[in-house]
Amino acid sequence: MKRLIVGLLALALGLVSHHALAQRQFLTIGTASVVGIYYPVGGATSQIINQADIGLRATVEATGGSAFNVRALAAGELDLALAQSDVVFQAYEGQAGFEGEAVDQLRTVMGLHAEPLHLVCARDAGVSSVRDIVGKRVNIGNPGSGIRFTVEQALEALDIGLDDFEAESLTAPEGVDFLRDGRVDCFFYTIGIGGAALLDISTSQDVVFVPMDEPEFESLVDEFPYFAFTEVPAGTYRGQDEAVTLFGVKALFVTTTDLGEEVVYNITSTILDNLEDFTNIHPALNFLTEEDFLSGLGAPLHPGAERAYQEAGLL
């Protein structure tokens, strides 16, 4: 009889566990390269979601970056993703690389950290301003990437054409490796301040972080709400003894209208409830405030996120 009771109890527990598993919704978060900031931010976000008792289980996927993520969201291949604010805006509006294929179901969950456009050059390349890249070998990012979008807008503002220098169309990590090997003089990299790839290259190579504060960029900041200037504090990278002003975008946590309101509400509320843990994920998030969640958005808020912010008194 004792064995029978134990067996029935085990069966009952197994059925409960199976039922709980069946009730749990599985989500995939698209990030970017494992050496960037999106990947650890996505991983820590999934951990916060998974540890909360909200019936969700999130996993992280390394991807090709912002433009890839937006298209994957539209195709239903991802549930949530991180993406640059300019790419999100262009996708939602059907502009630039998304002309004729607007992702009008795109929605913002929250705004995150600033992602300035870094221009990193070998010190002996003699580049002290963006215009000095003329005639140099420079990686501008792979086609369709968020980096490439930002670089093209920045260069257009400065009236610099791709035929004015030797442009490489590599992924961001490849650009870093090419500089390390001496195969390019510079690379552009849109990434949060203190990104591991930049910390690493500044430690292993003698590089300079070129200011991105040309007056022409001010008109872009005025025209497009997703652009902003950001100051990189002195000493952030080895050899960077003075503060450097950079120009760029910000990271967004996005989804589509296909993801239910209650799911997005629970995710947003969970992050707001664990804000201290969330901002300690990475140095780029250390100074993130609740107000940052609602600024520089490239697409409308998802109704679930909007409800969470209203309940938190932020809207």
Side-chain angles (χ1 to χ4, degrees):
M1 178 63 72
K2 184 177 181 180
R3 288 183 180 178
L4 178 60
I5 293 174
V6 171
L8 289 173
L9 181 59
L11 178 61
L13 289 174
L15 289 173
V16 171
S17 177
H18 178 76
H19 178 72
L21 186 62
Q23 294 299 309
R24 184 176 296 162
Q25 184 170 349
F26 290 83
L27 306 172
T28 302
I29 301 174
T31 57
S33 164
V34 295
V35 301
I37 292 179
Y38 282 10
Y39 191 79
V41 169
T45 303
S46 68
Q47 184 176 357
I48 289 174
I49 293 171
N50 295 341
Q51 289 176 345
D53 187 19
I54 55 175
L56 300 173
R57 182 73 182 179
T59 58
V60 175
E61 182 177 319
T63 71
S66 297
F68 176 94
N69 289 347
V70 169
R71 290 192 168 94
L73 283 169
E77 297 168 358
L78 293 172
D79 301 295
L80 298 143
L82 287 98
Q84 290 180 197
S85 54
D86 56 339
V87 175
V88 172
F89 178 86
Q90 290 159 358
Y92 181 74
E93 297 289 342
Q95 298 179 3
F98 293 88
E99 187 172 354
E101 52 173 334
V103 187
D104 54 11
Q105 70 270 40
L106 197 60
R107 294 293 183 271
T108 303
V109 178
M110 64 182 61
L112 297 174
H113 56 279
E115 289 202 305
L117 181 62
H118 291 73
L119 174 57
V120 184
C121 301
R123 190 173 297 276
D124 59 11
V127 176
S128 58
S129 73
V130 183
R131 296 184 188 279
D132 292 336
I133 67 170
V134 172
K136 306 295 184 182
R137 300 167 299 166
V138 184
N139 182 45
I140 60 174
N142 54 300
S145 67
I147 294 173
R148 183 69 166 257
F149 281 141
T150 307
V151 170
E152 288 176 346
Q153 286 184 277
L155 295 182
E156 183 179 355
L158 296 176
D159 198 25
I160 298 176
L162 298 186
D163 55 352
D164 291 329
F165 59 97
E166 295 182 41
E168 295 284 354
S169 299
L170 309 166
T171 65
E174 288 173 335
V176 177
D177 289 338
F178 268 52
L179 179 60
R180 184 178 287 109
D181 297 341
R183 288 180 281 176
V184 297
D185 300 303
C186 307
F187 64 78
F188 284 101
Y189 204 141
T190 302
I191 189 172
I193 296 171
L198 302 188
L199 291 171
D200 179 67
I201 193 68
S202 71
T203 300
S204 61
Q205 306 291 127
D206 190 12
V207 297
V208 296
F209 290 82
V210 181
M212 298 284 290
D213 56 358
E214 275 70 13
E216 290 83 354
F217 295 155
E218 293 181 8
S219 61
L220 289 180
V221 172
D222 291 339
E223 183 178 357
F224 300 105
Y226 49 79
F227 281 138
F229 288 107
T230 303
E231 184 173 279
V232 180
T236 299
Y237 306 108
R238 188 183 71 85
Q240 181 229 332
D241 299 327
E242 297 181 356
V244 177
T245 299
L246 300 181
F247 150 86
V249 294
K250 68 179 298 182
L252 302 178
F253 195 31
V254 294
T255 186
T256 68
T257 52
D258 294 335
L259 196 59
E261 179 177 335
E262 198 65 24
V263 172
V264 176
Y265 167 79
N266 285 332
I267 290 172
T268 309
S269 296
T270 297
I271 292 175
L272 290 174
D273 290 342
N274 294 274
L275 188 57
E276 184 175 354
D277 291 338
F278 186 73
T279 56
N280 286 331
I281 290 169
H282 190 280
L285 299 178
N286 287 169
F287 301 103
L288 191 69
T289 67
E290 293 176 334
E291 289 72 21
D292 291 327
F293 289 159
L294 301 171
S295 65
L297 309 184
L301 279 174
H302 190 286
E306 186 173 2
R307 177 154 63 99
Y309 293 128
Q310 287 173 339
E311 289 187 3
L314 300 178
L315 276 177

